[in-house]
Amino acid sequence: MRRALTAAALLFACDRSATLGAGAVTAAPALHDTRRVRDTDPDAVARITAMTQACQRATVTRARDAAGRAMDTVRMTLGSFCSIETVGGDALHWRVRCDANAFFDLGRFQLRESPEAMTRCPNLNGALVDRWSCAGAVLRDFVQSDGTLELVTVGHVDHVALSQSTTFAGCEALGSAVSFSPERGWFAPATAATAEDRTRGNEQLAWCRAAQVARAVRCGMALRQRGAAAPPAGCDALSPAEVFGPSATGATTVLGAGTAWMDRHTAACSPGVALNGVVLAGQCPEARRVDVMVRLVPRELTVERPCVVAENDPAGALGCLQRCLEAGAVNVRGNVAEQVPLTAACGTMTALPPSWMRAPALTPGAQCRSASIPQVRDTLEL
């Protein structure tokens, strides 16, 4: 009986399909049928685009969180010698302001090797290095996993007459490392040096200090990249090409601003410390500093590039959202601050004020970028 019922059911099914006929069967709509999606939901693209933008913002926020952790570590590494603040509220762009007297003797550009200027750097396997090299190693760890770095160091000095206080005679080796030599040659102290000569010497001292800090930061990055224990000779064990050569980690600009800060903020200067019982003319300890500007460029910012799909294609818009979500689990809520640029294409934005010094020199071409001088002056109140 059961076999009879089954056969009857099969017969009925075959007979029903024959009754409907092949021409009556409609094909399922194509999965990528943008006309059908648009007809049923004209706002689909706008909603998907908004979701994608929120995803991109959240992805950048995650990178900013990583940058904040790196910033805290750099702050602890540099200790009480420096203050660190964001530029324009951009968590990826920092200004590190440091008292040059904590790192350099009067009129000198060599980093001190005193105990307070050194630290056991956990990012370099506990090696004893100067604090700037350790900060560079910290930044390299961020770059290793999250992107690249733009570095601008700016040196400042006061109006102390170099020939009366120091034997500064330029920093030729540092200049050679970045293919830099001042137009008028390195300052040579002399008892009969003119005021103009001493001004030139101060301008060069400002650049040399900035170059020394840049070298230490880049050295720390290079040592960290090696992955092995830091050599006993530290930065001196590295060649200039290893420190300042082309690097995937980002670009470096070294600026000497001379006495620009002091000339702008004379009222902020307090009397300097007497040297051999005499207060040197032109002293302004507040003006002796090095500013380091760091902009972290996270790799994840690449998700903000616009999709190549047509704007009126909902299926393509969904693909764009999917690619962003696949970059990692993200929270699609919240906004982030605008990015504040640190570098600019070579041109009017990179033109130097009188008496400033810069390295490396600008190289013509579409890829040429250097520190944005208006941004630097605005940030440093110059």
Side-chain angles (χ1 to χ4, degrees):
M1 182 66 177
R2 180 177 298 175
R3 290 181 179 176
L5 289 174
T6 302
L10 290 172
L11 180 62
F12 175 78
C14 292
D15 182 67
R16 179 176 174 81
S17 63
T19 302
L20 290 172
V25 178
T26 57
L31 183 61
H32 191 150
D33 186 347
T34 59
R35 178 188 55 79
R36 177 177 292 273
V37 177
R38 284 199 301 273
D39 289 345
T40 57
D41 192 352
D43 296 327
V45 173
R47 290 204 303 271
I48 296 171
T49 300
M51 292 172 64
T52 302
Q53 291 172 347
C55 172
Q56 292 169 344
R57 289 194 299 268
T59 305
V60 175
T61 299
R62 190 171 68 240
R64 289 173 184 269
D65 290 342
R69 291 190 293 272
M71 183 179 184
D72 289 340
T73 306
V74 169
R75 182 182 286 110
M76 290 187 294
T77 298
L78 295 177
S80 60
F81 304 111
C82 305
S83 64
I84 304 179
E85 58 190 21
T86 60
V87 177
D90 185 349
L92 298 177
H93 189 164
W94 317 339
R95 174 198 178 181
V96 186
R97 175 178 175 175
C98 298
D99 178 7
N101 289 334
F103 296 98
F104 305 98
D105 291 324
L106 184 66
R108 300 194 179 259
F109 68 90
Q110 297 87 352
L111 288 171
R112 286 178 176 169
E113 296 183 357
S114 56
E116 62 273 11
M118 308 293 284
T119 185
R120 292 285 178 185
C121 187
N123 298 72
L124 292 175
N125 300 317
L128 183 64
V129 296
D130 67 86
R131 294 180 181 274
W132 285 112
S133 293
C134 188
V138 173
L139 293 174
R140 177 62 185 139
D141 279 349
F142 174 87
V143 170
Q144 177 98 16
S145 58
D146 291 291
T148 60
L149 174 144
E150 296 172 350
L151 177 70
V152 177
T153 58
V154 189
H156 311 265
V157 292
D158 53 12
H159 282 284
V160 169
L162 290 177
S163 62
Q164 299 174 22
S165 63
T166 181
T167 57
F168 171 75
C171 55
E172 187 172 356
L174 272 175
S176 297
V178 289
S179 302
F180 172 78
S181 179
E183 293 182 3
R184 296 179 57 190
W186 293 108
F187 169 76
T191 303
T194 65
E196 182 181 356
D197 288 337
R198 290 193 291 269
T199 297
R200 177 166 60 94
N202 270 318
E203 293 170 358
Q204 293 179 3
L205 176 61
W207 184 89
C208 290
R209 287 179 171 177
Q212 190 69 274
V213 169
R215 176 180 182 264
V217 173
R218 290 288 298 260
C219 165
M221 297 180 74
L223 291 175
R224 180 58 176 168
Q225 188 170 0
R226 282 185 167 193
C235 295
D236 292 336
L238 303 180
S239 67
E242 289 180 276
V243 178
F244 284 112
S247 171
T249 57
T252 299
T253 305
V254 179
L255 296 172
T259 60
W261 191 91
M262 180 180 178
D263 297 339
R264 176 80 180 271
H265 302 277
T266 304
C269 294
S270 58
V273 178
L275 183 66
N276 296 327
V278 178
V279 176
L280 299 176
Q283 277 206 87
C284 179
E286 292 81 0
R288 297 184 206 135
R289 69 172 196 270
V290 175
D291 285 297
V292 179
M293 303 176 70
V294 176
R295 183 168 182 270
L296 302 169
V297 186
R299 187 173 296 109
E300 291 172 340
L301 286 179
T302 57
V303 302
E304 290 192 310
R305 290 181 299 182
C307 290
V308 297
V309 298
E311 292 182 359
N312 63 345
D313 185 343
L318 279 171
C320 183
L321 174 60
Q322 180 180 356
R323 285 192 292 276
C324 179
L325 293 173
E326 287 176 349
V330 296
N331 178 353
V332 295
R333 293 173 297 177
N335 296 310
V336 297
E338 291 293 326
Q339 299 172 49
V340 180
L342 177 56
T343 63
C346 298
T348 57
M349 295 292 287
T350 58
L352 282 182
S355 78
W356 283 42
M357 303 172 69
R358 170 178 51 210
L362 303 186
T363 55
Q367 303 301 317
C368 180
R369 294 187 68 83
S370 187
S372 169
I373 299 302
Q375 180 61 57
V376 170
R377 297 184 72 173
D378 181 64
T379 300
L380 305 186
E381 299 179 323
L382 297 178

